[in-house]
Amino acid sequence: MITATGIGSGLDIESLVNQLVSAERTPAETRLLNQEATLTSELSGFGLLKSSLAAFQSSLADLTKQSTFGQRTATSSNTDIIAVSANTSAAASNYDLSVSQLAKTHSLASGSFASASDELGTGTLTIRFGSTDYTPADPGPESYNQFTINPDRGIATIDIDSSNNTLEGVRDAINDADIGISAAIVNDGSGYRLLMSSQDTGAANSLEISVADTGDGNDTDTAGLSALAFNAAATNMSQTSAAQDALFSVNGLAISSSDNTAKNVINGVDITLKDITGAAPVTVSIGENRAGVSQVINQFVNAYNSFVGTVNDLTAYDPETGNAGALQGDFSARSITGQLRQALVNTFEGLSGEYTSLSAIGITTQSDGTLAIDATRLNQALDSSFDEMSGLFSAVGFPSDSGVSFISSTANTTVGSHAVNITQLASQGVYTGSAVAFPLSINDDNDNLTVKIDGVSSEDISLTQGSYATGAELAAEIQARINGDAELSASGLAVTVTFSGGQLAITSNQYGSVSSVEVTSTDSNTASDLGLTVAAGTAGVDIAGTIGGVAATGSGQLLSAATGSAAEGLRLLIDSGTTGDRGTVEFSQGVAYKLDNMLDSFLSSDGILGARTLGIQDRIDDISDSRETLDRRMETLEIRYRNQFNTLDTLLSQLQSTSDFLTQQLSALPEAGSLLNSN
C-alpha cells in the first residue's frame, strides 16, 4: 500500500516532521560532538605526553649503564701499523710500541694429484695442535725435532672411508669436522694439491697430522692416506708457511702473542698489529672518554627540555584568545612534571665527595622549567671525578676491596654502605689421581677413558699412543683430548689438567656446586699406569658469606644479598682474596636510574597515564553508545510525529469534505427572495 503524507490537507508533513526531529536532535547531538571533540583532544594530548616521556626515557639508557662512565679513548699515531681499542678497565696512559714480527698460521700442502677426484687410502687422520720444532728442506737440512701439544686445543680424529677417500672427500671431511682447520684444493700448475691451514695464528697452533692407513697398512709412506702425514715419523706434506707468534715491545718490554690482536698485554687494551714498525715506535694513547660522557649528558638534558616544551604546550592557556592546551589544568600532567622536577634537584645519598647533585656538576633548572648546562663546571667535574660520575646517574656499588666486583642491583637495594664478609670461597671440582712414574707409555691397555664434567658425560676419549717423558706432557695430552670431546664442547665445558707432586689432577673450569669431575670408565691398566680410577673427585663449593650482616646466597663466585635485607638485589663477584672481612660496598642510585624507574611506572599499562587514557577511551565509547541511543529515540520520535501529522491530515481531509458537502447543500437551497416572489 502506497501512502503519502499531506495529500488530504495539503500540508508539507515530511518537511514539518524533519524540522521537528532535527530541532529535537540538534542540542543533544551538538553536546555529544563537543564532548567527543574534547575527549579526543585530551586523548591525543596524553598520547603526545606519553611519546615525549618515552623519548626522554630513551635518553636515559646510556646514563644508567656503568660502562658509559668507564669509556676510554684509544688512539694510535699510525693506524696502518697498530690499531687500538680500550675498555673500562684500561688506565689512562701513553705507550711506545714497536713490532718486529707478525703472527702467522701454519700451512701444509700435499703432493700433486692428477685431479681433485683422485682417491687416497682409507683410515683415520688424527690432528693435534701445538708447537713444532721443524726445519724444512728449504733452507734445510730437513729435520722434525719435536712436537709439544697445546693443551688448550682439542684433538680431532677424522674417519676416511670409501665414501670420502678422494681428494675432494678428504677436504670436505676436514672442513665438516669444524676443528679449527681450513682445507682447500689448489691447482698450482703441476697438479691438484690439498692445502691445510690452521685457522688460528701462533707458534702453539701449528699442526701435527698422524695417519692410521688401513689401505696399505703403512702409516708413513707417501702412498695412500699416509701421503697426508706430517709428524716426527713422516713429513709427507710440505710446510708452506710456518706458524709463528707476533713479536713486539711495549715501552721497550719484549712481548710475544699468538694472535695479531693482543688482548690484555696492557690491561683493558686490545692491540691489533698490522705491520712491522720502522725505526720509530708507534705511540698509543689511552684516555678517559670525557667527550663521550659529556655528549650523553647533553642528550639527556635536551630530551628533558623537549619534554618540558611538550608539557608546556599541552597545559598552556592564552587569556587573550581563550585557547587552551589539550591538558590545560590536568592533574596527571602536573603530577608527573612535578615528580620529575623534584628528582632532578635532589641530593643523592650514598655518594661521597663534592658531586652529589646535578647542580654540583653545572646542571640547573631555569625559570621555565628547562635545564641548562654550565659546560665549564661539567668539564671540571669530568676532569676531577670521571670514574665516580657513574654514581650520580646510575645505580652502582663501589667496593672497597679490589677482589670484590659490583655486578648488579634492583630497586629494592637500599642506598648506603653494605659490609661484606666471606666465610667460604668458591672452588672448582677436581679429580686427583694416584702417583704416576715417568717415563710412561700409552698403549692399547691404558689409552681409553670416559669422564663426566659438571654432570655431562663425554664420549670415549682415546689418548695418543706413545712414550711420554714427563707428567706435564701427559697432562697436556689428556687436557687436549677432554676439551676436544664433542659432548663437552657442545655444552661449553672444559677442564685444566696439571701434574704436580707425582699426580695428575683434572680440574673443571667452572666454580661452585655445579662444578665436578668424575672418571666413569678406564682401560685395564689405566689405574696402575696413569693413576686414574673410576671415581668421583671433590665437588666444587659456592661462595658463602654475608652482605650487610645477613647471610647471602652463593652461586659459583657470585654472592647475592638475601631477600628482605637492606641489600636485597645486590649481586657481587668475589674472584680473589681470602675469607673474612672484605670491606664494604657503597651503593647509590643516581638520577638517571631513579628517573628510569619513575618513567616505567608512568608509562606502564597500569600506570597513571594508562589509567587516564583508558578512562578517556571508555568515555568516548560511552558517547558512541549515547549516539546510538539518540538515534533510536529520534526514530521513535519521528514515527510518533509522522503518525500524529497523518492523523491530523486525515482529520483535516474529513473536515474539508464536510465543508465541501455543506457548501454544496447550502448552495442548493432556494434563496429567500425567490420563495417570496413565488407566493
Side-chain angles (χ1 to χ4, degrees), residues 583-629:
T584 61
V585 176
E586 301 295 332
F587 178 73
S588 67
Q589 293 176 335
V591 62
Y593 175 83
K594 290 189 174 182
L595 288 173
D596 189 52
N597 286 341
M598 192 180 296
L599 290 166
D600 273 342
S601 68
F602 293 156
L603 295 171
S604 67
S605 59
D606 57 352
I608 183 173
L609 293 179
R612 290 302 309 280
T613 54
L614 182 62
I616 293 171
Q617 187 60 57
D618 287 343
R619 292 170 65 188
I620 291 175
D621 293 341
D622 289 343
I623 290 176
S624 296
D625 294 340
S626 298
R627 189 170 279 119
E628 291 178 2
T629 300

Side-chain angles (χ1 to χ4, degrees), residues 24-259:
E24 188 77 21
R25 173 191 290 274
T26 296
E29 191 167 48
T30 299
R31 175 176 53 79
L32 293 176
L33 286 171
N34 289 338
Q35 288 178 354
E36 186 176 46
T38 299
L39 291 173
T40 300
S41 175
E42 193 174 355
L43 188 63
S44 176
F46 276 114
L48 289 173
L49 180 61
K50 290 178 69 174
S51 177
S52 182
L53 285 170
F56 177 44
Q57 186 176 36
S58 295
S59 76
L60 301 174
D62 287 334
L63 285 175
T64 59
K65 300 174 184 175
Q66 285 181 261
S67 58
T68 298
F69 299 90
Q71 294 181 67
R72 298 292 186 263
T73 59
T75 58
S76 168
S77 63
N78 191 334
T79 55
D80 291 332
I81 296 178
I82 295 176
V84 290
S85 62
N87 62 34
T88 58
S89 62
S93 189
N94 296 317
Y95 307 91
D96 287 336
L97 276 67
S98 296
V99 184
S100 59
Q101 176 177 290
L102 293 179
K104 292 184 178 179
T105 59
H106 196 207
S107 183
L108 302 172
S110 72
S112 183
F113 293 84
S115 75
S117 60
D118 277 8
E119 290 187 359
L120 286 78
T122 57
T124 60
L125 297 174
T126 298
I127 302 175
R128 301 197 299 172
F129 297 88
S131 301
T132 304
D133 182 0
Y134 172 70
T135 302
D138 183 14
E142 183 181 21
S143 63
Y144 194 112
N145 302 315
Q146 186 180 9
F147 176 81
T148 303
I149 192 171
N150 181 347
D152 295 325
R153 298 294 302 271
I155 300 173
T157 299
I158 301 172
D159 292 324
I160 305 299
D161 55 29
S162 59
S163 68
N164 62 356
N165 67 334
T166 64
L167 201 63
E168 292 174 323
V170 172
R171 174 201 62 192
D172 294 342
I174 292 172
N175 288 333
D176 291 344
D178 193 22
I179 57 174
I181 297 178
S182 296
I185 296 174
V186 177
N187 186 343
D188 65 354
S190 66
Y192 293 87
R193 305 178 71 181
L194 181 65
L195 189 67
M196 287 190 238
S197 300
S198 171
Q199 293 175 350
D200 294 322
T201 58
N205 291 313
S206 65
L207 307 176
E208 181 204 59
I209 303 174
S210 300
V211 178
D213 193 338
T214 60
D216 61 11
N218 190 326
D219 300 339
T220 60
D221 65 1
T222 58
L225 193 62
S226 55
L228 303 181
F230 186 82
N231 53 64
T235 54
N236 296 333
M237 295 189 78
S238 301
Q239 178 175 279
T240 57
S241 176
Q244 66 181 33
D245 290 335
L247 302 177
F248 61 104
S249 66
V250 178
N251 289 349
L253 178 66
I255 306 290
S256 66
S257 169
S258 63
D259 197 334

Side-chain angles (χ1 to χ4, degrees), residues 269-310:
V269 180
D270 289 349
I271 303 168
T272 301
L273 309 177
K274 298 181 177 180
D275 205 347
I276 307 302
T277 55
V282 173
T283 299
V284 169
S285 299
I286 309 299
E288 297 166 338
N289 189 8
R290 298 168 190 171
V293 173
S294 178
Q295 180 181 7
V296 172
I297 292 174
N298 274 274
Q299 289 171 351
F300 149 71
V301 169
N302 291 336
Y304 178 76
N305 288 345
S306 177
F307 158 73
V308 170
T310 298

Side-chain angles (χ1 to χ4, degrees), residues 670-679:
E671 295 182 3
S674 62
L675 291 174
L676 293 174
N677 291 332
S678 64
N679 291 327

